[in-house]
Amino acid sequence: VEVAQPGRVKVGDRVVVMPTTPCGKCALCVAGDYIHCENMVDIAGFTGSREGNATYAQYVLKPDWLLSAIPDGVSYERGSLACCALGPSFGAFNTMSLNAFDTVLITGAGPVGLGAIANARFRGARVLVAEMVPWRVERAKALGAAEVIDPRDASAVQQIKDLTQGRGVDC
């Protein structure tokens, strides 16, 4: 909507806003692990107001490096999935080199977990999920989870071993 100074984005750009307000300078930020930054910027201390600090707000204040472009032809709804629904597992699965020869355990089928199921299935991996909320269990199955195990079940670990011929999961 507005830019404070020339940078990587301009008014009218379609972007996904990444979470938190990291410093952008420490080793964690430079390595791309900015969600673990230990030097978060205090927006109120910087601007004199808490305005623009909320996550689910119509307007937020962010440095341009935390604004990822949404490609033409991708809707805002789908572009928004890059942040929490798909982004965390995408990076993790890249780091792990998850592929079709792996079995992955996803613990929890909330928004991030459901995104992880989609990412893992896209890579061809076999997906096991630990979840107890019925609605999420059904969503996990609909997205392609091979099995959903109730983590409250005393035999949950044995179920995983049985499903993996005693090996356990790869990731």
Side-chain angles (χ1 to χ4, degrees), residues 97-104 120 123-126 167-171:
S97 299
L98 184 75
N99 63 48
F101 298 103
D102 294 320
T103 297
V104 62
R123 294 163 183 268
R126 180 175 178 220
R167 286 189 344 260
V169 297
D170 302 300
C171 302

Side-chain angles (χ1 to χ4, degrees), residues 108-164:
V112 173
L114 293 171
I117 295 167
N119 268 324
R121 292 299 303 133
F122 176 77
R123 294 163 183 268
R126 180 175 178 220
V127 179
L128 306 181
V129 176
E131 179 57 66
M132 61 189 171
V133 177
W135 183 89
R136 291 178 174 183
V137 168
E138 292 309 313
R139 290 289 179 262
K141 290 177 181 177
L143 284 170
E147 298 287 338
V148 181
I149 297 139
D150 187 332
R152 299 170 296 185
D153 190 323
S155 69
V157 172
Q158 187 59 51
Q159 290 177 53
I160 292 168
K161 286 185 177 185
D162 292 344
L163 291 166
T164 59

